[in-house]
Amino acid sequence: MNLEDEFTDIIKKARHGQRLSVADLAKHSGLSAGEITKLEQGIRSPSEAEVQAVAKSLGLRAGPLAQIAHNEWGPKEVPPSVAEIVTILGDIGGYEVKGYIFFDEEAREAALIDTGYNATEVLHVLDQRRLGLNVICLTHGHADHAGGLDDIVQRWPVPVYLGEDDRALAPWLPPAHLLAQPQDKHVIQVGRFTLECLTTPGHTPGGICYHVKTGPHKACFVGDTLFAGSIGRANPFTLYPSHLESVRSRVLTLPEKTLLFPGHGPATTVEEELQHNPFSTESGRGV
C-alpha cells in the first residue's frame, strides 16, 4: 500500500510551511545545502543521523519520519465491514483523488463528501444503489475535490456545504439558496446518522472535516487536512501553524479507533497517526 507522501514530500512541506530556504535548513541541521537538496529530490535515502538532524530542525518526530523514509510503515487496510462508505476514485492529470458517499442503507439517504473529480461515478453509484442524495459536503474548494459539482447539482439540487473562506477557490458555485456555511460543530442529518462539521483551516483557509457523529462506525472524512503519515500542503504557507493545530487538536483528538478517510492515499486511523505521523506530537494527544 503506497502512502501519498514520501520522505521527500514531508520534509519539503515542513520546510516550506516554516518558510525556510534550503540554506536555512542546512544551517539549522548541520547538513550541507547540497545534501539537503539531494534528500529533497530523493537522489538517495537518508541516514539515521540525517533523519534525526532534519526532524529536529523542522519540528518533526524522528521515529515516524525514519519509518517512512525506509518504507517500514503503512496503515492497516480499512475493514471491509465499512459498508456504508463508498469510495469514489477520480483522476486529474494522472493524479488520483478520492471522494466518498456515506449513506444509511435503511433510509436510502446519502451524503457526498467531495466529488472525487468524478461526477459520472458519483451519479452511477447513487443510481446503482438506489440512494437519494441529501447533501454535498466539500472539505475544501480545490478543483480536484469540487470538480464536477455542477453536473451533480443539476441532477441533485441539494445543499452544498463549503467553508466561506474557500468559495473563491471553487471552480463552480451552486445557486446561493443551495450554498450552506458549515459552522463548527454543526450537525448534518443523513438518514438515522449524523455528520458533524469540524473547522480545520490549514490546507486551505476554509477547510472542513466531516466527523461521523452518530452511525455504524467511528469515522472522519479529512480531505487534504491529513494523509496517512503526512498532511496536505498549507495553502498559503502562512497557514502552516493553523494546519498543525487543526491536525493535532481537532483530528487527532478524536477517539483512537476513528477511521480517517483522506482525499489522497490510503485510509488510516487516529491511533496509527498518533504513532506514525511525523507531524503528530510526541505526547500523542493534541498540542
Side-chain angles (χ1 to χ4, degrees):
M1 183 183 301
N2 293 326
L3 297 176
E4 173 63 16
D5 281 354
E6 299 177 343
F7 170 81
T8 58
D9 304 301
I10 292 169
I11 63 174
K12 281 186 286 189
K13 284 179 178 179
R15 179 173 66 79
H16 290 156
Q18 295 172 65
R19 288 171 284 178
L20 297 173
S21 67
V22 169
D24 291 332
L25 181 54
K27 179 180 178 180
H28 294 320
S29 66
L31 304 177
S32 71
E35 292 307 316
I36 295 293
T37 299
K38 288 180 182 179
L39 294 179
E40 288 195 345
Q41 293 179 348
I43 294 174
R44 63 174 180 79
S45 297
S47 68
E48 186 62 31
E50 288 171 330
V51 170
Q52 292 285 338
V54 170
K56 182 177 180 180
S57 299
L58 294 174
L60 301 172
R61 295 175 61 198
L65 186 61
Q67 289 179 329
I68 292 171
H70 303 307
N71 299 311
E72 296 173 346
W73 172 79
K76 301 180 183 69
E77 289 192 28
V78 172
S81 59
V82 186
E84 295 81 6
I85 298 172
V86 176
T87 301
I88 302 296
L89 292 178
D91 180 283
I92 180 167
Y95 182 45
E96 186 181 82
V97 59
K98 294 180 177 180
Y100 301 92
I101 294 174
F102 172 71
F103 64 96
D104 179 346
E105 188 168 18
E106 182 177 307
R108 316 307 306 171
E109 295 182 2
L112 173 66
I113 298 91
D114 290 345
T115 65
Y117 204 72
N118 194 344
T120 300
E121 181 65 12
V122 169
L123 296 173
H124 172 70
V125 169
L126 292 171
D127 286 345
Q128 182 185 51
R129 293 178 177 260
R130 294 178 292 108
L131 298 171
L133 186 63
N134 280 32
V135 64
I136 298 169
C137 302
L138 299 179
T139 61
H140 60 292
H142 285 161
D144 55 337
H145 294 260
L149 181 63
D150 50 342
D151 293 331
I152 298 168
V153 170
Q154 183 177 2
R155 173 73 180 278
W156 294 97
V158 300
V160 177
Y161 282 80
L162 175 64
E164 185 173 7
D165 291 338
D166 270 26
R167 293 180 184 181
L169 301 176
W172 180 85
L173 289 176
H177 72 280
L178 292 180
L179 196 54
Q181 170 63 28
Q183 301 291 341
D184 192 44
K185 301 293 185 180
H186 175 73
V187 169
I188 301 167
Q189 201 69 31
V190 184
R192 297 165 294 162
F193 312 138
T194 57
L195 291 172
E196 179 186 45
C197 302
L198 300 177
T199 54
T200 51
H203 176 61
T204 59
I208 304 290
C209 293
Y210 297 92
H211 174 219
V212 179
K213 187 71 173 176
T214 64
H217 304 284
K218 293 182 174 68
C220 189
F221 301 96
V222 296
D224 292 358
T225 296
L226 178 143
F227 301 142
S230 188
I231 62 175
R233 180 168 55 89
N235 292 281
F237 295 138
T238 52
L239 286 174
Y240 183 73
S242 297
H243 197 161
L244 292 181
E245 177 75 10
S246 292
V247 168
R248 295 170 176 175
S249 296
R250 311 258 25 218
V251 176
L252 296 185
T253 55
L254 294 172
E256 291 192 356
K257 300 301 181 184
T258 302
L259 297 168
L260 302 176
F261 293 94
H264 307 277
T268 183
T269 65
V270 169
E271 182 177 31
E272 291 214 66
E273 296 310 302
L274 289 172
Q275 295 176 12
H276 302 289
N277 194 311
F279 293 94
S280 67
T281 58
E282 292 287 355
S283 60
R285 307 303 300 188
V287 293

